[in-house]
């Protein structure tokens, strides 16, 4: 039911009253001299009397578009005209989209006879309660679309707007007796422009609803993309747990590195690349959300493209860890064998060097021998280095398990070859040293040929008599000595190889 809002009352006293329109509305007065007519009426106890039924009129000022009802508690032989037109069921309309001037006239129903009018009441006919319900329902439906789970800050922002809006909407209500606020609200929120739908309050409600819908579209697109990103984060974490987290964290016997630590080092670059891809995506979609473009940017195709890119990056990470546990076990075992082979190599090399020392009276005698031996030992060392390279490093030994058999076999062979080289050259030096001593250094009687020759030369008679024989003997000794030395110096590895 529509309620009537009191706009103005031409009271039954002589006090002035407001017409309750907008600010450019003139005041309406009840004094007799404010009425225009050929004959002034009289005013007694708030009742205007025109003895001869003379028409009187007064400007009501500017009234907003709408329907108005004009009534009076005393109405004898009188009728109202507004802007020259009779009222319909006591009502008149102000047309247009802005306030316009309204003139009220009173004339006698029976011409020439007295009329009496008193207790005037002017009302704006408008369903304020219905308008309030419509606005509150629309605002409530809008705010109900958003929740704290969407975005706490946005939720607070929208609730603040909703709260401020309901304060305004709650002003839309019928006037109580003696109140004159509703007409001001009617004009302030422009209900005269197509009722509730044309009011500025409905525009605010629709703007709130539009902003909420835009936020929800932005939020839903963002959360969908974010979920895709978090799904890839979960996949990456799962891949880490499965491929690294389940590995042993006990240090290897020889590498002093656990399989878990090795896996981390081996795959760090690929893991970082995958994590960077995922983190960058999450930052990107958050940026779209912050600037309100997620609804158009965070499309299913966009999400799918990222998911594939992230999955490929995660696969590169897991591919790097294929067979990592077995590779690390093989690497550690072979590393131990490399270390023991190196140690044995060094022991044998040192043992040889102790034997390959030149006699005090013949510096450089074993130089050729040492050079040949060092070359042979170096071949062994190069073999060990080659196995070490094939086995890998602490940072990367992805093929250690694959090359395990070949590497262990090679090290066994190198271990044996080290013994062979050492024994061959050690034995050779010792054997040739015995020959040198026998032919050059000493005889069974403890005297060297050179010592006997020197004694014979000291005997003048013998020296003179056997001069040519002694010279020949000396030449023979030098020839023998030269031959022995030459044999050492031109000694090669032909017999070993």
């Amino acid at each position: 039911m529509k309620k009537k809002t009191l706009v103005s009352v031409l009271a039954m006293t002589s006090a002035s009253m407001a017409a309750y329109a907008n600010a450019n509305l003139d005041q309406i007065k009840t004094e007799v001299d404010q009425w225009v007519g050929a004959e002034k009426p009289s005013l007694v106890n708030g009742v205007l009397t025109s003895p001869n039924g003379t028409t009187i009129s007064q400007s009501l000022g500017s009234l907003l578009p709408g329907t108005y009802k004009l009534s009076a508690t005393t109405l004898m032989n009188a009728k109202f005209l507004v802007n020259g037109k009779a009222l319909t069921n006591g009502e008149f309309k102000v047309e247009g989209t802005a306030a316009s001037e309204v003139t009220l006239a009173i004339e006698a129903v029976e011409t020439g006879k007295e009329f009496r009018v008193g207790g005037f009441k002017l009302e704006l006919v408008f369903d304020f309660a219905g308008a309030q319900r419509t606005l509150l329902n629309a605002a409530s439906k809008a705010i109900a679309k958003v929740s704290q789970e969407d975005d706490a800050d946005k939720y607070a922002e929208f609730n603040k707007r909703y709260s401020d809006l309901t304060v305004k909407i709650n002003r839309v209500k019928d006037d109580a007796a003696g109140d004159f606020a509703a007409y001001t609200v009617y004009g302030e929120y422009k209900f005269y422009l197509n009722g509730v739908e044309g009011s500025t309050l409905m525009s605010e409600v629709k703007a709130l609803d539009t902003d909420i819908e835009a936020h929800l579209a932005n939020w839903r697109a963002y959360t969908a993309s974010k979920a895709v990103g978090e799904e890839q984060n979960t996949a990456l974490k799962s891949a880490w747990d499965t491929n690294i987290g389940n590995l042993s964290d006990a240090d290897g016997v020889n590498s002093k590195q656990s399989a878990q630590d090795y896996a981390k080092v081996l795959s760090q670059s690929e893991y970082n690349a995958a994590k960077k891809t995922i983190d960058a995506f999450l930052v990107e979609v958050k940026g779209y959300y912050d600037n309100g473009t997620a609804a158009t940017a965070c499309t299913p195709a966009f999400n799918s493209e990222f998911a594939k890119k992230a999955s490929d990056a995660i696969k590169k990470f897991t591919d790097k860890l294929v067979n990592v546990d077995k590779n690390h076990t093989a690497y550690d075992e072979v590393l131990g064998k490399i270390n023991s082979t190196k140690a044995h190599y060094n022991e044998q090399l040192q043992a040889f060097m102790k034997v390959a020392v030149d006699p005090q009276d013949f510096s450089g005698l074993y130089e050729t021998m040492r050079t040949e031996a060092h070359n042979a030992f170096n071949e062994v060392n190069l073999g060990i280095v080659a196995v070490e390279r094939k086995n890998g490093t602490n940072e990367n030994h992805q093929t250690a398990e694959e090359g395990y058999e070949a590497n262990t076999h090679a090290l066994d062979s190198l271990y044996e070859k080290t013994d062979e080289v050492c024994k061959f050259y050690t034995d050779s030096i010792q054997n040739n040293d015995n020959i040198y001593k026998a032919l050059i250094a000493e005889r069974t009687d403890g005297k060297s040929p050179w010592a006997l020759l020197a004694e014979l030369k000291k005997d003048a008679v013998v020296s003179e008599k056997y001069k040519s024989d002694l010279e020949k003997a000396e030449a023979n000794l030098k020839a023998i000595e030269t031959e022995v030395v030459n044999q050492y110096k031109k000694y090669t590895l032909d017999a070993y190889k």
Side-chain angles (χ1 to χ4, degrees):
M1 174 181 176
K2 291 185 178 180
K3 292 190 178 179
K4 299 171 183 178
T5 300
L6 181 65
V7 175
S8 65
V9 178
L10 302 180
M12 293 184 295
T13 67
S14 61
S16 63
M17 297 178 296
Y20 304 105
N22 56 14
N24 65 350
L25 187 66
D26 295 333
Q27 288 184 326
I28 300 175
K29 301 182 183 299
T30 59
E31 285 79 0
V32 171
D33 60 3
Q34 297 301 311
W35 291 92
V36 177
E39 183 181 37
K40 294 291 185 182
S42 63
L43 179 65
V44 179
N45 295 326
V47 177
L48 289 168
T49 300
S50 177
N52 300 313
T54 303
T55 300
I56 58 175
S57 65
Q58 183 181 127
S59 173
L60 299 184
S62 295
L63 292 181
L64 291 167
T67 299
Y68 294 85
K69 185 175 182 64
L70 180 60
S71 61
T73 56
T74 299
L75 188 64
M76 185 188 75
N77 190 38
K79 63 180 179 180
F80 298 134
L81 300 173
V82 173
N83 291 342
K85 294 180 181 180
L87 277 60
T88 302
N89 296 323
E91 297 180 347
F92 66 89
K93 290 185 178 181
V94 177
E95 305 289 349
T97 58
S100 58
E101 291 291 325
V102 174
T103 299
L104 170 64
I106 305 173
E107 62 181 30
V109 176
E110 293 185 43
T111 305
K113 293 185 177 182
E114 176 184 279
F115 67 75
R116 294 181 182 180
V117 181
F120 294 95
K121 191 174 188 179
L122 180 62
E123 295 175 299
L124 167 69
V125 180
F126 185 76
D127 187 6
F128 285 89
Q132 185 190 76
R133 284 194 302 274
T134 299
L135 289 166
L136 286 176
N137 286 339
S140 296
K141 287 180 180 178
I143 197 64
K145 296 176 181 179
V146 68
S147 70
Q148 271 187 310
E149 295 179 357
D150 295 335
D151 182 323
D153 291 338
K154 277 289 185 182
Y155 177 76
E157 176 190 325
F158 287 130
N159 262 283
K160 175 65 168 56
R161 287 176 61 181
Y162 170 75
S163 178
D164 292 344
L165 187 54
T166 56
V167 170
K168 296 178 183 179
I169 295 173
N170 285 330
R171 292 177 61 202
V172 181
K173 58 186 178 181
D174 295 322
D175 278 331
D179 291 337
F180 307 104
Y183 187 72
T184 301
V185 171
Y186 177 82
E188 181 180 344
Y189 296 129
K190 298 184 179 181
F191 284 102
Y192 56 84
L193 296 176
N194 196 31
V196 178
E197 289 300 320
S199 69
T200 58
L201 286 177
M202 184 56 83
S203 295
E204 288 190 55
V205 170
K206 289 180 177 179
L208 175 63
D209 185 69
T210 298
D211 289 347
I212 288 175
E213 286 290 352
H215 159 69
L216 291 176
N218 193 45
W219 173 258
R220 288 164 186 158
Y222 164 63
T223 52
S225 291
K226 183 181 178 184
V228 173
E230 293 300 345
E231 183 180 351
Q232 294 301 320
N233 251 338
T234 300
L236 179 60
K237 183 179 183 302
S238 178
W240 194 98
D241 290 340
T242 300
N243 293 277
I244 295 180
N246 291 331
L247 295 174
S248 171
D249 60 357
D251 286 346
V253 175
N254 303 295
S255 63
K256 306 304 179 186
Q257 180 189 46
S258 69
Q260 190 174 103
D261 287 342
Y262 164 59
K264 290 178 184 177
V265 172
L266 176 67
S267 63
Q268 190 67 57
S269 177
E270 288 73 17
Y271 177 86
N272 288 346
K275 193 70 173 70
K276 183 178 180 181
T277 297
I278 297 170
D279 290 346
F281 175 78
L282 290 172
V283 170
E284 182 179 5
V285 297
K286 182 59 166 63
Y288 291 138
Y289 173 68
D290 289 342
N291 62 32
T293 59
T296 54
C298 300
T299 62
F302 172 76
N303 294 337
S304 296
E305 182 181 353
F306 157 73
K308 183 180 185 307
K309 183 178 180 182
S311 295
D312 290 345
I314 293 173
K315 186 176 184 301
K316 287 181 180 179
F317 165 63
T318 55
D319 285 350
K320 199 69 177 284
L321 297 171
V322 171
N323 216 28
V324 66
D325 196 15
K326 291 182 179 179
N327 276 325
H328 188 63
T329 299
Y331 169 77
D332 193 75
E333 289 184 16
V334 172
L335 181 61
K337 202 170 186 68
I338 289 172
N339 291 339
S340 63
T341 304
K342 280 184 176 181
H344 182 66
Y345 168 85
N346 289 328
E347 289 173 1
Q348 296 297 80
L349 179 60
Q350 293 302 317
F352 166 74
M353 291 302 295
K354 289 180 180 179
V355 172
V357 178
D358 294 330
Q360 292 183 354
D361 59 347
F362 206 133
S363 176
L365 179 62
Y366 300 138
E367 185 62 32
T368 301
M369 183 74 74
R370 284 193 294 269
T371 300
E372 298 285 355
H374 283 159
N375 289 339
F377 272 111
N378 190 50
E379 286 186 13
V380 174
N381 184 55
L382 290 175
I384 297 173
V385 170
V387 172
E388 193 170 22
R389 187 179 297 111
K390 291 176 183 177
N391 192 42
T393 65
N394 267 19
E395 292 73 27
N396 189 333
H397 38 269
Q398 287 180 275
T399 60
E401 198 270 339
E402 178 185 341
Y404 177 80
E405 293 297 333
N407 288 337
T408 52
H409 177 73
L411 289 171
D412 288 340
S413 297
L414 290 167
Y415 193 99
E416 294 175 1
K417 189 172 183 180
T418 301
D419 287 339
E420 292 174 4
V421 170
C422 182
K423 185 176 186 306
F424 178 80
Y425 285 102
T426 299
D427 290 350
S428 296
I429 287 179
Q430 288 177 341
N431 290 338
N432 285 281
D433 192 51
N434 291 335
I435 295 172
Y436 172 77
K437 290 177 179 179
L439 295 178
I440 298 177
E442 296 178 343
R443 292 196 316 175
T444 55
D445 59 3
K447 292 184 179 180
S448 70
W450 289 108
L452 292 173
L453 182 60
E455 289 179 2
L456 291 173
K457 281 184 176 183
K458 288 179 182 179
D459 188 320
V461 176
V462 173
S463 176
E464 181 63 28
K465 185 176 181 179
Y466 300 102
K467 180 179 181 181
S468 61
D469 292 329
L470 290 175
E471 289 177 353
K472 185 177 180 180
E474 184 176 5
N476 288 336
L477 282 175
K478 286 182 178 180
I480 292 172
E481 183 181 69
T482 299
E483 180 62 21
V484 172
V485 172
N486 286 340
Q487 287 298 322
Y488 276 106
K489 290 189 175 182
K490 70 179 182 180
Y491 187 84
T492 66
L493 292 180
D494 290 341
Y496 174 71
K497 290 180 179 179

